[in-house]
Amino acid sequence: MRKIKEFIIEKLILLCGIASIFFVIMIFLFLLKEGLAVFKSVSPFKFILGKSWYPISEPAQLGILPLILGSLLVTLGAAIISIPIGVGCAIYIAEIAPLRLKEILKAGIELLAAIPSVVLGFIGMVTLVPMVKNVFHLPTGLTALSGSIMLAFMAMPTIVTIAEDALYSVPKNYKEGALALGATHWQAIWRVMLPAASSGILAAVMLGLGRVIGETMAVMMITGNAAVLPQSILVPVRTLTATIAAEMGEAVVGSEHYFALFAVGIVLFVISFAINVTADLFLHKKQ
């Protein structure tokens, strides 16, 4: 009876894994089916590198370069903010904090990940946007910087949790050996623990950025949604995800605009897929 139960459980797990792969493939094929139709009227080169996004004008201008640059600018800003703070928090929780404080901090960080993005977007509109406007003396606080700060806040729970697990999984005799050879506590962390956990930390960073690049509501609420080429981080921008969320409900099914939004989804899918594959490669990298 025990062998039968194990056999059933193993096959169910296998079925779940196959179903996950099947669903991802079907989603990608659906995006291709709907999105590739736009290239009958515009070339892929002009679609990717075009500087104007006016999908309902006559004639339609379907260039997504401002959307790609907006997404990359917000993601880069979020990475600059979240990576040092997230990795620093992971080091503190894994190696420095007392046991009781460590449990409280871990629980608090995991709770941060559960806050809905629309709630964070609303908080950003009420508090962060006016602050950015006043500090930098801008006409509006709905800028790429506001989006970067909010997305950094959203990415940190992922970075901290996975990086802390990577540091915790390093064999204890590494640190004990470093201390026995005369290294200080900080030298053992910097010279031994961090290099040993580098693949896991890089995976944490990539997965955190994967969440940033795919975030929709918070970005749409606080970045200004201006589909223009960004000149700095202190101007309004529009991201790929915000474009799909804002315009899909208004696009006529079967129109050029409709197919263009699915093509934007293909670009976003490829970017997110590349980030997650890179994170997976780092996570399973053999030292």
Side-chain angles (χ1 to χ4, degrees):
M1 190 65 184
R2 181 180 177 183
K3 290 183 178 180
I4 294 174
K5 288 181 179 179
E6 289 181 354
F7 177 80
I8 294 173
I9 292 173
E10 288 176 359
K11 296 306 177 185
L12 286 174
I13 294 173
L14 176 64
L15 181 63
C16 290
I18 294 174
S20 300
I21 298 173
F22 174 76
F23 289 140
V24 171
I25 293 174
M26 292 303 295
I27 290 171
F28 187 58
L29 291 177
F30 178 74
L31 287 175
L32 289 177
K33 173 181 174 295
E34 298 291 337
L36 292 181
V38 75
F39 297 127
K40 295 178 181 178
S41 57
V42 61
S43 68
F45 181 80
K46 289 184 178 179
F47 183 75
I48 298 295
L49 299 180
K51 298 180 181 180
S52 300
W53 175 259
Y54 300 108
I56 58 175
S57 64
E58 291 294 340
Q61 300 180 44
L62 302 173
I64 65 169
L65 184 61
L67 312 182
I68 295 175
L69 293 179
S71 296
L72 294 179
L73 182 62
V74 172
T75 302
L76 179 62
I80 293 173
I81 298 170
S82 63
I83 292 173
I85 298 175
V87 174
C89 289
I91 293 172
Y92 179 77
I93 293 173
E95 298 294 332
I96 300 173
L99 182 60
R100 185 180 296 275
L101 180 59
K102 180 185 298 186
E103 297 301 324
I104 295 174
L105 290 175
K106 288 183 68 174
I109 290 170
E110 290 170 0
L111 283 175
L112 286 178
I115 300 176
S117 61
V118 66
V119 175
L120 291 175
F122 178 72
I123 294 172
M125 287 182 64
V126 174
T127 59
L128 180 60
V129 168
M131 184 178 70
V132 170
K133 177 182 177 181
N134 295 329
V135 169
F136 294 97
H137 306 289
L138 301 172
T140 177
L142 299 171
T143 62
L145 178 61
S146 302
S148 296
I149 295 172
M150 186 55 62
L151 288 182
F153 183 78
M154 298 175 69
M156 274 193 284
T158 301
I159 296 175
V160 173
T161 301
I162 300 176
E164 191 269 335
D165 289 339
L167 288 167
Y168 186 78
S169 65
V170 175
K172 298 301 179 186
N173 55 6
Y174 284 25
K175 182 179 178 181
E176 292 169 357
L179 295 175
L181 289 171
T184 63
H185 190 193
W186 172 246
Q187 288 173 332
I189 294 172
W190 182 253
R191 299 289 182 87
V192 178
M193 302 296 289
L194 284 178
S198 60
S199 61
I201 293 173
L202 286 173
V205 170
M206 298 303 292
L207 290 172
L209 295 183
R211 183 182 181 189
V212 167
I213 197 74
E215 185 52 51
T216 304
M217 290 306 300
V219 179
M220 187 169 67
M221 294 171 72
I222 64 175
T223 56
N225 288 318
V228 295
L229 291 174
Q231 303 298 321
S232 73
I233 201 169
L234 297 176
V235 297
V237 297
R238 171 176 280 197
T239 63
L240 295 168
T241 52
T243 301
I244 297 172
E247 299 181 10
M248 184 57 77
E250 301 174 358
V252 178
V253 177
S255 66
E256 192 178 45
H257 185 196
Y258 177 83
F259 294 133
L261 291 176
F262 275 97
V264 172
I266 294 174
V267 174
L268 184 62
F269 184 93
V270 171
I271 294 174
S272 299
F273 184 77
I275 290 174
N276 282 279
V277 168
T278 305
D280 189 70
L281 291 176
F282 279 125
L283 190 61
H284 296 93
K285 178 183 176 182
K286 300 298 182 183
Q287 297 292 338

